[in-house]
Amino acid sequence: MQHESNQEFSTRVTPATATTPAIFETQPERTDLPLVVMPYVVPGMIAPFKQWFPMLQDVARLRMYEDYTLDPDEFMQRAADADAIMDISQHISNTMLEQLATHVKGIAFGGTGVASYIDIDRAHELGVRVCNTVHYGDHAVAEYAIAMMFELARRVGELDQQMRNNNWAGLDGMELYGKNLAIIGLGGIGKLVARMANGIGMHVYAWKSPTSKQDYAALNITPVEDMEQLVAQADVVSIHMPLLDSTRGIIPKQVIDAMRPGTLFINTARAQVIEPGALKARLLKGDIPAALDVYDQEPLPADSPLFNVPGLVLTPHVAWRSDGAYRELTKQVVEDIVSFYQGKPMNVMA
């Protein structure tokens, strides 16, 4: 069926009810086009996504459900007639993937760490193309890591609660100026954290750094080849390692144990880059203040012992969630879909 490409880009909105979310559709009359379904969306992404949807004109129809409940059964029901999916933070099990593969041929994932959410090898075996998004949130995550560093050092949240409880006692803090920061993983995010830490006046050390001496000098970073030695001399340790087959469990228990008591520990990367159980065991000792945005199991179970660790700051994997990151992420997700239907490679993982 031929269709005039200069026709107005049409949309349709089905209002929310007491039991169903609002549904936003593009080109709903174009039944000749494949259907792309976004079963869930982070509320803050709705407006940015709509900005980019005209790129789908004459390429694909879209159906976006405007809620964010991340229920696997609901996800599968909403994706039942999809040819492709835009996945915003839904963990897709192999059982789900195998069922989806009977009709879904492409998945555009709204994030960098897609390997934590989808079995890439299994998707490849099933003939499902998986795309991610890259470098969309480098500044957002770097700023969040620095914010966590300040929170651990100055305990602003705890002081706020003291004030609300009519307690003027206050708390002593740790000055970051002149302290040693150890960065594990010096990609786009790690480099930004290094620059910010330099601005604070910290001494920055890193493992897995750029290979040239010019890069080290430009970033004012001292490279340390031995990870255990790196953390042993640190006052603050921040993880910025992507999750790949080569990095899974790359930080062993002996490195976690090498941190001195009182070392501030921050992870806004992926929990799985640390040897299973190593960080939990150290945190339960209660001798290192830590801030975590990522976990082995997400959402973090309500009975997790981490909730009972004094001084531990926990946030629900939100370091990437900012206005700037939303703009770039949503654009890339839509571009991934367009490239998929045009037979072009973009951010292809499988």
Side-chain angles (χ1 to χ4, degrees), residues 11-29:
T11 63
R12 178 172 66 199
V13 177
T14 303
T17 69
T19 57
T20 61
I23 301 174
F24 180 84
E25 298 175 271
T26 68
Q27 307 179 99
E29 75 287 352

Side-chain angles (χ1 to χ4, degrees), residues 77-331:
Q77 291 176 21
R78 295 177 182 183
D81 55 349
D83 182 71
I85 291 174
M86 294 180 178
D87 178 12
I88 310 299
S89 301
Q90 174 67 56
H91 289 265
I92 298 178
S93 67
N94 279 354
T95 300
M96 294 168 65
L97 186 61
E98 289 158 8
Q99 183 177 337
L100 289 169
T102 61
H103 55 93
V104 169
K105 301 306 176 187
I107 300 175
F109 181 77
T112 300
V114 62
S116 299
Y117 293 80
I118 301 171
D119 185 332
I120 303 299
D121 291 337
R122 185 59 181 141
H124 181 74
E125 293 170 358
L126 293 167
V128 178
R129 172 162 144 171
V130 178
C131 302
N132 68 343
T133 52
V134 297
H135 298 299
Y136 68 90
D138 286 2
H139 285 87
V141 177
E143 290 175 6
Y144 200 84
I146 294 293
M148 283 186 143
M149 192 186 307
F150 272 109
E151 177 59 34
L152 290 175
R154 302 309 302 266
R155 302 161 70 182
V156 174
E158 191 174 346
L159 287 164
D160 173 73
Q161 287 302 311
Q162 278 194 8
M163 290 288 290
R164 295 175 189 279
N165 292 327
N166 198 30
N167 181 347
W168 193 257
L171 295 165
D172 296 334
M174 170 183 172
E175 189 170 286
L176 294 174
Y177 176 82
K179 297 299 193 296
N180 293 340
L181 168 63
I183 298 175
I184 300 180
L186 204 66
I189 297 171
K191 290 176 183 177
L192 287 169
V193 169
R195 290 191 177 100
M196 295 176 190
N198 279 323
I200 297 169
M202 302 183 77
H203 304 297
V204 183
Y205 302 82
W207 183 84
K208 279 294 182 184
S209 308
T211 55
S212 72
K213 293 181 179 179
Q214 290 81 4
D215 286 337
Y216 295 132
L219 292 167
N220 196 23
I221 293 173
T222 301
V224 180
E225 294 185 4
D226 184 277
M227 195 187 297
E228 192 170 338
Q229 177 186 344
L230 173 74
V231 303
Q233 67 184 15
D235 299 297
V236 184
V237 175
S238 192
I239 310 299
H240 299 288
M241 184 73 66
L243 179 61
L244 307 168
D245 288 341
S246 60
T247 62
R248 189 178 296 274
I250 196 170
I251 303 173
K253 183 177 185 297
Q254 57 264 35
V255 168
I256 297 299
D257 290 344
M259 288 187 287
R260 297 171 297 171
T263 301
L264 309 186
F265 179 86
I266 298 154
N267 192 0
T268 55
R270 285 292 184 275
Q272 294 84 356
V273 300
I274 302 172
E275 180 181 333
L279 180 61
K280 178 181 174 181
R282 182 63 193 268
L283 293 177
L284 290 177
K285 289 177 63 177
D287 67 341
I288 57 169
L292 307 179
D293 189 51
V294 291
Y295 311 92
D296 289 312
Q297 183 179 347
E298 296 180 0
L300 187 64
D303 61 352
S304 171
L306 294 181
F307 287 116
N308 299 318
V309 177
L312 181 58
V313 176
L314 306 173
T315 60
H317 202 153
V318 294
W320 59 280
R321 289 172 62 172
S322 73
D323 54 352
Y326 284 171
R327 284 192 299 272
E328 181 59 26
L329 180 148
T330 55
K331 181 182 180 182

